[in-house]
Amino acid sequence: MVESKTKKVSYFVAFIIPCLILYLIFFITPFGRGIGISLTNWDGLTPKTPISLEKTEFESKILNSPKLSQKQKEFLSSVYEYSSQDNCYHRTQLKGSKRSKVEKIVKKTGYQPEKYKFVGLENYKKIFSGGASEDFYPRVVTLSKFTKTSDLPMAISKKEFEKEICKKLSKESEEYKLLNLTYEFNENSNKYKITSRYDEFEVSDDLWYLKEVDELKTIPESEIDLLIKDLKTSAFTQDYLIGRERVKEFIKKYKVSEESENIIYNSCNAYYRIAKVKMILSDVWVVKNFNMGVIGFTLFFAFFSVIGINILAFALALALDTGIRGQKVLRTVFFLPNVLSMIIVALIWSMIFVQLLPSITGVEKWISDSQKTPWLLVLVAIWQGCGYYMIIYLAGLQNIPTDIIEAAKIDGATGWQRFKSITLPMMIPSLTISLFMTIANALKSFDLIYAMIGQTGYATGTVPFVMDIYFDAFSLKQAGMATAKAMVLFFVIVLITGIQLFIMKRKEIEA
């Protein structure tokens, strides 16, 4: 029985029209709204129509505007109430069409709040011309690994001491000689360790354990504390006379023994030597690092996580398709990380990187090291995501007709030949969808990295695009710029995934 054309059209309308309406409501309308916001300097809080405005400003700029009709002015007067207490007009609560009507009327007057002004393509110009925050772009950053207000490190690795510090100094210079007096190489730890005479804690202990403080109690501990602070402060000026005068006053005031007097003078000299070493380290121990910025890290994370997830997922699917024992159990084990919440995944791996690995390897910095952090985040993303795509590849492998494989075996094709000529071409549909999903998800990554890194990611150059948008909108109150970045990201994802789908679909036809 052949259905009439009218019936077919009615079925089409019944199914398609609701979908189109929902698409219009939940995608097209918010998308258009987003484009509008991206052309403003909106801070995310300021409304288009003022909630409260001073009387003179409201009347001159809005209510008495010559662009408004009398009817529109009367409508505004019904919405805004004047309060003599603060000499301001206050807007009543608005809903639905009434809200839209007020916005249209206020827009007609040309009034724009300071934090909701139309700026045209200014946000986009900043993004593409380097006018956004410097953290947004790849750059070389100068990193000071020591500040003179910090305590001297108890140990410095051989590589850092020789290549990052001493290499910048002449071997004949006083600074070089002083540093090598301060630190001695320890073969057991393969580190340069601080000598006792430059250990600030030991120098301070000499003062705290003076006979007059520890035994006789003739000098209050508070006075020792004050003396140490004064000596440290004067040491940074490198004016030795100030320190000597402070010591003389202290000795004269408390009439200390000759032995204690020598200890105090020696401590004073030690603080000056330590301060000199601190200033040398703060000037010399400076390294230049390449910071990928938001753009660089997003591309880095997307590239390596997409490759890693798909290769590992494909490899696991091939292994499980061989019919090995415990196939169902292994499939569950590999898929389990995908079931876990990203926040739980982040907490588990943060504990591993912060507590477990340092205690096992002796390397303290893992997730806070700018060199390691990007790779660690990629590793976690691969671990968490490969199980899901393994299922897709496994389904694709099981759809390959077994008679084709058996015929190839009979013809003498090797395992590699069967994989290259049969398995891989017939897996292109699975590869197409997996690549599409991993690329889109990687470029939109947020929750995993936010939970593991947070705002400190700017220091290690591990802030993805979406996270930068989040901080712009909610921390910096730059909703206009954040929305412009979101629009740029949207079109980048559409472009990249569109090219990928076009290429892969052609491969499917050829295969």
Side-chain angles (χ1 to χ4, degrees):
M1 180 180 176
V2 179
E3 289 183 319
S4 66
K5 188 175 180 180
T6 306
K7 203 169 185 180
K8 287 182 179 180
V9 170
S10 63
Y11 286 152
F12 177 80
V13 170
F15 283 101
I16 297 300
I17 294 299
C19 295
L20 291 176
I21 293 172
L22 291 174
Y23 187 73
L24 176 67
I25 294 172
F26 295 108
F27 179 77
I28 299 297
T29 302
F31 185 77
R33 173 75 170 151
I35 292 176
I37 292 173
S38 72
L39 303 176
T40 69
N41 68 339
W42 190 38
D43 62 356
L45 296 171
T46 305
K48 281 185 177 180
T49 56
I51 297 174
S52 179
L53 203 61
E54 195 270 330
K55 180 177 182 291
T56 305
E57 186 179 5
F58 180 78
E59 291 180 349
S60 61
K61 293 183 178 180
I62 299 177
L63 191 60
N64 296 330
S65 173
K67 297 179 182 179
L68 299 183
S69 64
Q70 186 60 36
K71 190 176 180 180
Q72 289 172 329
K73 291 178 181 179
E74 290 175 359
F75 177 75
L76 284 179
S77 298
S78 67
V79 172
Y80 284 89
E81 296 177 353
Y82 174 69
S83 173
S84 57
Q85 293 181 347
D86 56 4
N87 197 36
C88 290
Y89 277 88
H90 299 281
R91 193 190 71 193
T92 57
Q93 191 173 3
L94 298 174
K95 292 182 180 179
S97 59
K98 201 173 184 181
R99 184 191 188 95
S100 300
K101 188 176 180 180
V102 173
E103 287 182 359
K104 288 178 182 178
I105 294 172
V106 172
K107 184 179 179 181
K108 189 176 179 182
T109 65
Y111 173 82
Q112 290 182 316
E114 282 300 317
K115 292 297 182 180
Y116 206 141
K117 284 188 174 181
F118 178 79
V119 295
L121 297 174
E122 190 62 31
N123 291 326
Y124 293 97
K125 288 178 182 176
K126 285 182 179 179
I127 293 170
F128 291 106
S129 64
S133 63
E134 62 176 15
D135 295 316
F136 190 67
Y137 310 96
R139 69 197 189 283
V140 176
V141 294
T142 302
L143 177 66
S144 296
K145 300 187 79 170
F146 180 80
T147 56
K148 62 183 180 181
T149 54
S150 304
D151 294 326
L152 285 177
M154 301 303 293
I156 303 174
S157 69
K158 183 180 179 182
K159 180 182 177 182
E160 289 177 316
F161 190 80
E162 293 178 356
K163 294 187 177 180
E164 295 180 1
I165 301 172
C166 291
K167 194 176 181 180
K168 298 174 184 176
L169 299 171
S170 169
K171 290 185 178 180
E172 305 301 323
S173 64
E174 292 183 10
E175 289 84 356
Y176 182 89
K177 293 176 182 177
L178 181 57
L179 282 175
N180 281 274
L181 287 173
T182 308
Y183 288 93
E184 292 180 347
F185 182 66
N186 185 291
E187 292 184 359
N188 294 329
S189 62
N190 199 35
K191 292 181 179 180
Y192 281 83
K193 292 193 173 182
I194 196 167
T195 55
S196 58
R197 64 194 300 244
Y198 288 92
D199 187 338
E200 205 164 344
F201 295 103
E202 290 195 20
V203 173
S204 298
D205 282 346
D206 288 341
L207 294 175
W208 285 109
Y209 289 108
L210 285 173
K211 188 176 182 181
E212 289 79 1
V213 179
D214 193 41
E215 295 180 14
L216 302 177
K217 307 292 184 182
T218 56
I219 300 177
E221 290 185 355
S222 59
E223 286 297 314
I224 294 296
D225 189 39
L226 185 60
L227 175 65
I228 291 172
K229 287 180 181 178
D230 290 343
L231 290 178
K232 285 183 178 181
T233 303
S234 64
F236 278 112
T237 66
Q238 288 297 293
D239 190 339
Y240 192 65
L241 292 176
I242 296 176
R244 297 279 294 188
E245 286 299 318
R246 177 70 176 90
V247 169
K248 284 180 181 179
E249 290 175 7
F250 184 85
I251 291 171
K252 185 179 179 180
K253 181 178 179 181
Y254 291 103
K255 299 176 182 179
V256 300
S257 65
E258 185 176 345
E259 181 186 354
S260 296
E261 183 178 331
N262 290 331
I263 293 173
I264 295 171
Y265 274 115
N266 288 335
S267 296
C268 176
N269 295 336
Y271 282 125
Y272 275 78
R273 289 195 305 269
I274 291 169
K276 180 67 176 176
V277 175
K278 287 182 177 182
M279 284 187 275
I280 294 171
L281 281 180
S282 65
D283 292 337
V284 175
W285 203 359
V286 177
V287 295
K288 288 187 176 180
N289 285 337
F290 177 73
N291 189 306
M292 290 187 289
V294 172
I295 295 175
F297 174 71
T298 303
L299 295 175
F300 170 90
F301 182 82
F303 180 79
F304 286 104
S305 64
V306 167
I307 290 176
I309 287 172
N310 283 282
I311 289 177
L312 184 57
F314 200 1
L316 291 173
L318 287 170
L320 292 176
D321 193 50
T322 58
I324 60 174
R325 277 189 174 185
Q327 180 184 3
K328 292 182 179 179
V329 175
L330 289 173
R331 189 186 305 176
T332 303
V333 170
F334 293 139
F335 186 76
L336 190 60
N338 189 76
V339 177
L340 298 175
S341 163
M342 276 290 191
I343 302 299
I344 295 174
V345 170
L347 290 174
I348 292 171
W349 281 95
S350 293
M351 184 180 67
I352 292 172
F353 294 140
V354 174
Q355 299 177 13
L356 185 62
L357 285 181
S359 62
I360 294 174
T361 63
V363 179
E364 294 182 7
K365 287 187 176 181
W366 285 87
I367 201 68
S368 58
D369 187 342
S370 60
Q371 301 299 318
K372 299 187 186 80
T373 306
W375 294 104
L376 296 177
L377 292 173
V378 169
L379 172 67
V380 176
I382 292 172
W383 176 84
Q384 199 273 340
C386 70
Y388 179 82
Y389 298 98
M390 175 199 69
I391 299 298
I392 295 176
Y393 286 125
L394 193 58
L397 287 170
Q398 292 176 351
N399 282 332
I400 298 175
T402 55
D403 53 350
I404 298 177
I405 302 293
E406 290 172 359
K409 286 180 181 179
I410 294 170
D411 290 340
T414 63
W416 170 249
Q417 288 173 330
R418 293 197 302 273
F419 175 79
K420 185 179 69 172
S421 303
I422 300 174
T423 305
L424 198 56
M426 298 194 76
M427 285 294 293
I428 288 178
S430 299
L431 188 60
T432 300
I433 188 63
S434 294
L435 282 175
F436 173 81
M437 293 174 67
T438 50
I439 290 171
N441 289 335
L443 291 173
K444 297 184 299 179
S445 58
F446 172 78
D447 45 2
L448 173 68
I449 301 173
Y450 180 79
M452 292 188 70
I453 301 296
Q455 201 160 358
T456 58
Y458 284 110
T460 53
T462 51
V463 174
F465 214 120
V466 176
M467 201 158 125
D468 183 65
I469 292 170
Y470 171 81
F471 286 128
D472 273 358
F474 299 104
S475 296
L476 301 180
K477 304 301 179 187
Q478 295 177 353
M481 173 61 80
T483 310
K485 288 180 179 178
M487 290 294 144
V488 171
L489 179 62
F490 170 79
F491 287 111
V492 167
I493 292 174
V494 169
L495 178 64
I496 294 175
T497 53
I499 293 172
Q500 178 257 324
L501 286 173
F502 175 75
I503 294 172
M504 296 302 291
K505 286 294 181 183
R506 290 185 62 183
K507 294 287 184 183
E508 286 182 28
I509 294 170
E510 291 171 5

